[in-house]
């Protein structure tokens, strides 16, 4: 039977009401599609009982906070912004292992939510977890591919009870629900963005310097691919971004030797994120991105193009 978003919304509203009873819930939007749809669904189900927050963890894309605020405003969602950048970056300092990074981020999110929840007698955490998040996080005989921050990255002990209305859905179904809920296209068609943010696009240790690099590089890739799609030079990828490698390489700037960071361009076609093929970006578009990245980010000396499918790769680098 084809997925019916209207039916899903009706059923889901009933389930959320039943689950929460009189209790209040906290939910966070991250700028991604899933969290936004979950928050919109929750506000429809239990309007007076849901507290919606946006945690600025310092791992968001360039200009993201402003974009999220604007989108929320456009659909009448009131957001509380929590600035937790220092807390996240302190917790991640010196950590290089990808699974440790994911667990630290998952736990820090939950502790921030719990502190917020105490102020408002909140019993539940509503999350935009979707099927690939828990499938890839492992358990029940499955291998852990990566601990998604909102599943395998959650701490063992939590004060809040979980409510996950999108748990059985895949991304394309979440988009249909977003559309049926009346969200703007700029939200429900937005490319996916991982909950742990740019942390999984910096391979190895996260520093402020690397965060600044990756924000600029992601912004250049998004802008240039956006232009190329508008000019019909290529089809819109499912997801497209830049990642930063921990290794520096040798180059020349002017007449001098350089030893600088390496940025990777990644763009994929996919339906649900479970498998993916690398997007075919025309050489002239790749060339423009490479020139812009090395000209505008003076600490980057080399740009690579990732031509790995999933499997054997994953979409994000960590
Ligand atoms: P991978 O890298 O596993 O990603 O091929 C599949 C899709 O999931 C996104 N992703 C995440 N989303 N929490 C999320 O909400 C996470 O921890 C997480 N890790 C990866 C990724 O961006 C891609 O769209």
């Amino acid at each position: 039977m084809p997925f019916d978003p209207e039916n899903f919304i009706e059923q889901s509203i009933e389930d959320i009401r039943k689950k929460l009873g009189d209790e209040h819930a906290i939910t966070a939007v991250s700028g991604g599609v899933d969290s936004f749809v979950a928050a919109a669904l929750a506000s429809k189900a239990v309007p007076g009982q849901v507290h919606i927050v946006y945690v600025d963890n310092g791992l968001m894309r360039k200009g993201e906070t402003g974009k999220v605020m604007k989108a929320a405003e456009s659909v009448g969602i009131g957001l509380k912004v929590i600035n937790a950048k220092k807390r996240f970056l302190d917790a991640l300092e010196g950590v290089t292992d990808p699974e440790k990074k994911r667990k630290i981020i998952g736990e820090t999110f939950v502790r921030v939510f719990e502190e917020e929840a105490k102020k408002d007698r909140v019993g539940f955490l509503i999350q935009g977890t979707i099927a690939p998040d828990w499938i890839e996080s492992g358990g029940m005989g499955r291998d852990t591919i990566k601990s998604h921050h909102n599943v395998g990255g959650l701490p063992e002990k939590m004060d809040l009870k979980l409510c996950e209305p999108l748990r059985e859905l895949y991304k394309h179904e979440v988009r249909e629900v977003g559309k049926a809920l009346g969200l703007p296209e700029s939200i429900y068609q937005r490319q996916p963005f991982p909950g742990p943010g740019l942390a999984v696009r910096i391979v190895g240790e996260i520093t402020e310097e690397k965060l600044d690099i990756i924000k600029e590089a992601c912004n250049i890739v998004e802008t240039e691919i956006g232009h190329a799609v508008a000019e019909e030079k290529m089809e819109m990828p499912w997801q497209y971004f830049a990642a930063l490698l921990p290794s520096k390489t040798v180059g020349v700037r002017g007449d001098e030797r350089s030893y600088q960071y390496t940025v990777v361009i990644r763009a994929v076609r996919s339906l649900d994120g479970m498998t993916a093929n690398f997007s075919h970006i025309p050489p002239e578009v790749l060339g423009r991105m490479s020139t812009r990245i090395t000209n505008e980010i003076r600490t980057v000396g080399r740009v690579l193009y990732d031509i790995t499918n999933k499997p054997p790769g994953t979409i994000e680098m960590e």
Side-chain angles (χ1 to χ4, degrees):
M1 217 167 51
F3 176 68
D4 179 344
E6 303 286 353
N7 250 345
F8 173 84
I9 292 171
E10 209 174 291
Q11 185 60 49
S12 179
I13 285 179
E14 207 175 289
D15 293 347
I16 295 173
R17 284 182 183 153
K18 221 183 269 168
K19 189 154 192 177
L20 263 62
D22 297 334
E23 288 196 69
H24 281 222
I26 186 166
T27 188
V29 294
S30 69
V33 189
D34 311 335
S35 62
F36 216 98
V37 170
L41 203 54
S43 343
K44 207 170 160 100
V46 284
Q49 292 164 244
V50 62
H51 306 257
I52 305 175
V53 298
Y54 167 82
V55 180
D56 184 355
N57 54 12
L59 305 169
M60 301 307 222
R61 281 170 291 186
K62 189 175 177 182
E64 186 68 6
T65 307
K67 277 188 204 152
V68 172
M69 298 290 287
K70 219 164 133 192
E73 218 171 87
S74 77
V75 285
I77 288 181
L79 274 189
K80 177 172 178 183
V81 178
I82 300 172
N83 188 344
K85 178 178 168 183
K86 185 171 177 341
R87 186 165 174 171
F88 275 83
L89 296 194
D90 283 352
L92 286 164
E93 198 180 335
V95 183
T96 55
D97 179 75
E99 280 295 289
K100 268 196 199 138
K101 281 161 81 176
R102 285 175 165 274
K103 293 208 158 114
I104 288 170
I105 292 168
E107 162 139 28
T108 310
F109 265 125
V110 167
R111 300 305 169 219
V112 169
F113 297 151
E114 282 175 347
E115 283 168 26
E116 203 52 37
K118 269 191 202 124
K119 296 180 200 157
D120 293 312
R121 297 176 295 105
V122 169
F124 278 90
L125 169 63
I126 297 180
Q127 294 211 115
T129 311
I130 63 172
D133 297 345
W134 55 264
I135 293 170
E136 292 207 330
S137 291
M140 303 213 299
R142 274 189 300 264
D143 195 23
T144 302
I145 309 298
K146 48 182 80 175
S147 300
H148 282 236
H149 77 294
N150 46 350
V151 188
L154 292 180
E156 271 171 31
K157 281 202 175 138
M158 274 175 62
D159 295 343
L160 294 163
K161 292 165 275 187
L162 278 183
C163 172
E164 297 177 318
L166 311 177
R167 207 179 149 77
E168 302 304 324
L169 304 193
Y170 286 85
K171 189 74 81 185
H172 58 289
E173 295 167 333
V174 178
R175 294 194 200 280
E176 287 185 49
V177 173
K179 185 176 182 187
L181 281 169
L183 299 184
E185 195 175 341
S186 58
I187 292 290
Y188 69 76
Q189 283 303 4
R190 207 165 187 211
Q191 68 157 317
F193 186 65
L198 300 174
V200 292
R201 295 181 180 173
I202 295 173
V203 179
E205 188 184 356
I206 295 163
T207 61
E208 296 247 15
E209 183 196 25
K210 290 181 182 174
L211 271 169
D212 288 343
I213 293 174
I214 203 63
K215 277 182 198 179
E216 284 307 322
C218 277
N219 188 46
I220 292 171
V221 170
E222 285 193 23
T223 308
E224 291 304 327
I225 289 192
H227 288 160
V229 170
E231 290 161 13
E232 297 182 358
K233 287 183 182 153
M234 61 182 282
E235 65 177 48
M236 179 59 105
W238 193 74
Q239 202 166 357
Y240 46 109
F241 54 89
L244 183 63
L245 297 185
S247 45
K248 291 186 174 180
T249 59
V250 174
V252 273
R253 275 207 186 264
D255 292 334
E256 286 176 16
R257 178 189 195 269
S258 66
Y259 186 55
Q260 297 185 302
Y261 287 111
T262 308
V263 159
V264 179
I265 295 170
R266 178 95 168 124
V268 295
R269 291 180 288 141
S270 178
L271 175 66
D272 52 19
M274 296 296 291
T275 58
N277 289 320
F278 74 88
S279 293
H280 293 221
I281 307 176
E284 71 198 87
V285 180
L286 285 170
R288 196 171 151 73
M289 286 192 279
S290 169
T291 306
R292 276 197 64 191
I293 289 170
T294 48
N295 278 352
E296 292 173 34
I297 314 170
R298 301 299 287 177
T299 46
V300 175
R302 193 173 295 267
V303 179
L304 310 180
Y305 175 28
D306 188 344
I307 50 169
T308 321
N309 295 331
K310 173 183 179 177
T314 55
I315 295 175
E316 304 289 348
M317 293 261 163
E318 286 196 336

